[in-house]
Amino acid sequence: MGDSLMDGVTSIMLLPDDCLCFIFNFLDCRTDRESFGLTCHRWLNIQNLNRRSLQFPCSFGIVGPSSLSQSCTDINSFHLYRILARFQQLEYLSLSGCVEILDSALSYLKPYGSKLQTLCLDCCFKISDYGISLVGDGCPFLTTISLYRCSITDAGLEALANACLALRHVNLAYCPCISDSGLRALSQGCRELQAVKISNCRGVSGVGLRGCSSTLVYIDAECCNLEPEGIMSIVSGGGLKFLNIASLSCSNFRNGLEAIGNGFAARLKILNLRMCRSVTDASIVAIAKGCPQLQEWNLALCHEVRVLGWASIGSNCHNLKKLHVNRCRNLCHQGLQALRDGCKELSVLYMSRNSRISDTALELFKLYRCNVEIKAEEVMSIGPNWDGIDYDEST
């Protein structure tokens, strides 16, 4: 290299690999990064070693810079082996929607996937408990896993919990074969858990989360068969900030939600009770008093909330910014007045098809609270993304 420089010959090809890696990491444009790898085999190898994320077009998400191409292919075991052998520094891998992938393919994670932190296997219907055990063996530093609509059981969850102690974000939505036993293994084995999605897991009552870590700040349990004891278990960690228990399937829940306001959920900021039709004033009063940090509360289609409940929200929810009351049959002008006179931080009120609210009551609310935006839209989902949650002890 020295002789070449003395002869006046300089070339970027003479730069060592670490310098080329430095240059590559400064390329923001996907096209530039792909062009870099097309220069020569050496530069292609540098590109491969610097790839940190990979998502296939068949994954359920927006195709971005981490995707290989624009065409969707059925990824099989051979493809996965070639991919992992080529990109050995991957930290994020999404195989979501790769419906032909088998358990045996995940065995390649052991020699090549040790640096993975995020793995998405949504709708990988042929992955079983054995495949999940292979994930545990090959990815000891995994922090995020999504198993939406996978056919795993409690045995798979136990294997995962025993091997991946650093797990923080887990998506088990629409996994019909899991129960409280698997949740118990997960919550007790992974003490850094921050977010868990168990929506539409009909075999879950909630008791599996009893004694969960205080780091658990996000739980999505929509359309679950939760029991009153399960609600107590869900909030038992004391760190919860987001809770979605919309569309409770249990019929014996008249005052079962009072547990949310018993002091363990004092840090709760977002609560979704949409379509909890049997929730009573007693539960609303307990929550309004016991969750002083609430900023958004969805009570759409909660027909049993009456004047006493609305008055308690107005009197106690001093930090509430967004409130959803769409189609609440027993929200009358007195309840609306209680909200109008209280909730000083309220900025948005989602309200539509409230048959007991007169035009006069609505106009009076607008007159006295002109700073509150009234929206007619009915929002089905509220809160942050499950995999973007971070535990912060100070908030």
Side-chain angles (χ1 to χ4, degrees):
M1 179 176 174
D3 293 339
S4 298
L5 289 174
M6 290 180 64
D7 293 338
V9 179
T10 59
S11 171
I12 193 172
M13 302 301 290
L14 300 176
L15 290 175
D17 286 357
D18 57 346
C19 289
L20 290 175
C21 288
F22 188 77
I23 293 171
F24 177 82
N25 287 321
F26 267 92
L27 299 176
D28 296 326
C29 177
R30 176 192 172 193
T31 304
D32 290 343
R33 285 175 166 251
E34 296 298 334
S35 298
F36 184 98
L38 295 174
T39 305
C40 63
H41 285 293
R42 179 187 171 211
W43 286 31
L44 177 62
N45 185 54
I46 289 172
Q47 180 194 42
N48 293 341
L49 291 175
N50 281 275
R51 184 181 284 273
R52 297 292 182 265
S53 64
L54 190 60
Q55 173 178 306
F56 293 94
C58 48
S59 294
F60 305 120
I62 299 174
V63 176
S66 60
S67 299
L68 275 182
S69 66
Q70 297 298 318
S71 61
C72 182
T73 57
D74 291 327
I75 306 300
N76 58 34
S77 299
F78 176 71
H79 294 140
L80 186 58
Y81 164 72
R82 293 289 302 271
I83 289 164
L84 292 174
R86 178 180 173 184
F87 306 116
Q88 297 187 23
Q89 305 297 318
L90 287 179
E91 297 175 357
Y92 173 99
L93 175 63
S94 176
L95 298 172
S96 297
C98 298
V99 297
E100 297 301 320
I101 205 84
L102 301 174
D103 285 336
S104 57
L106 299 180
S107 63
Y108 299 120
L109 290 173
K110 190 162 188 178
Y112 299 115
S114 62
K115 295 189 178 181
L116 275 181
Q117 297 178 20
T118 299
L119 179 62
C120 301
L121 297 172
D122 298 347
C123 295
C124 293
F125 303 123
K126 295 184 179 181
I127 297 298
S128 69
D129 291 337
Y130 175 62
I132 298 304
S133 69
L134 292 175
V135 170
D137 291 339
C139 309
F141 303 112
L142 206 62
T143 60
T144 300
I145 188 167
S146 185
L147 299 169
Y148 170 80
R149 289 191 182 274
C150 285
S151 302
I152 64 165
T153 71
D154 293 336
L157 275 186
E158 290 173 13
L160 194 65
N162 290 333
C164 301
L165 303 181
L167 275 175
R168 297 179 182 177
H169 307 95
V170 180
N171 183 3
L172 301 170
Y174 287 90
C175 291
C177 300
I178 66 168
S179 72
D180 290 296
S181 176
L183 275 186
R184 185 176 298 108
L186 187 69
S187 64
Q188 296 303 312
C190 305
R191 302 302 290 177
E192 296 181 32
L193 271 182
Q194 297 181 7
V196 175
K197 283 178 67 74
I198 50 174
S199 55
N200 289 275
C201 294
R202 302 291 183 174
V204 169
S205 72
V207 296
L209 291 170
R210 184 186 295 120
C212 57
S213 170
S214 62
T215 61
L216 187 57
V217 296
Y218 178 110
I219 294 179
D220 183 347
E222 183 171 350
C223 294
C224 288
N225 291 316
L226 300 179
E227 299 287 346
E229 186 180 354
I231 294 294
M232 294 179 65
S233 300
I234 283 174
V235 301
S236 63
L240 208 59
K241 296 180 183 178
F242 172 91
L243 177 60
N244 177 15
I245 51 174
S247 304
L248 271 176
S249 301
C250 190
S251 58
N252 60 343
F253 237 103
R254 294 292 296 172
N255 296 321
L257 296 182
E258 290 184 37
I260 297 175
N262 66 4
F264 286 103
R267 302 176 68 187
L268 196 64
K269 293 186 176 181
I270 301 175
L271 177 61
N272 191 353
L273 299 182
R274 184 179 183 275
M275 291 185 68
C276 293
R277 292 186 172 93
S278 61
V279 62
T280 63
D281 283 342
S283 294
I284 297 299
V285 170
I287 294 170
K289 291 181 177 179
C291 304
Q293 295 190 38
L294 266 183
Q295 296 179 5
E296 183 169 8
W297 196 351
N298 193 339
L299 289 168
L301 289 152
C302 291
H303 299 314
E304 295 303 312
V305 183
R306 302 173 187 273
V307 174
L308 181 62
W310 302 120
S312 182
I313 293 174
S315 300
N316 297 288
C317 295
H318 304 299
N319 293 301
L320 195 65
K321 297 178 181 179
K322 296 180 180 180
L323 179 63
H324 305 249
V325 298
N326 310 77
R327 292 192 278 172
C328 289
R329 292 176 185 169
N330 284 302
L331 175 61
C332 60
H333 69 279
Q334 291 172 292
L336 187 61
Q337 181 178 346
L339 297 176
R340 183 192 79 193
D341 296 339
C343 299
K344 299 304 182 182
E345 295 297 317
L346 192 67
S347 59
V348 182
L349 180 64
Y350 294 89
M351 186 170 67
S352 60
R353 299 170 66 180
N354 300 93
S355 57
R356 297 187 63 186
I357 297 294
S358 66
D359 292 339
T360 301
L362 185 58
E363 289 304 317
L364 280 172
F365 184 94
K366 292 178 179 178
L367 178 65
Y368 283 94
R369 297 298 299 272
C370 57
N371 60 321
V372 176
E373 182 181 6
I374 298 179
K375 294 186 176 182
E377 64 183 289
E378 188 168 341
V379 180
M380 305 296 178
S381 178
I382 62 174
N385 293 327
W386 70 280
D387 55 351
I389 296 293
D390 283 313
Y391 173 70
D392 185 354
E393 191 175 2
S394 64
T395 60

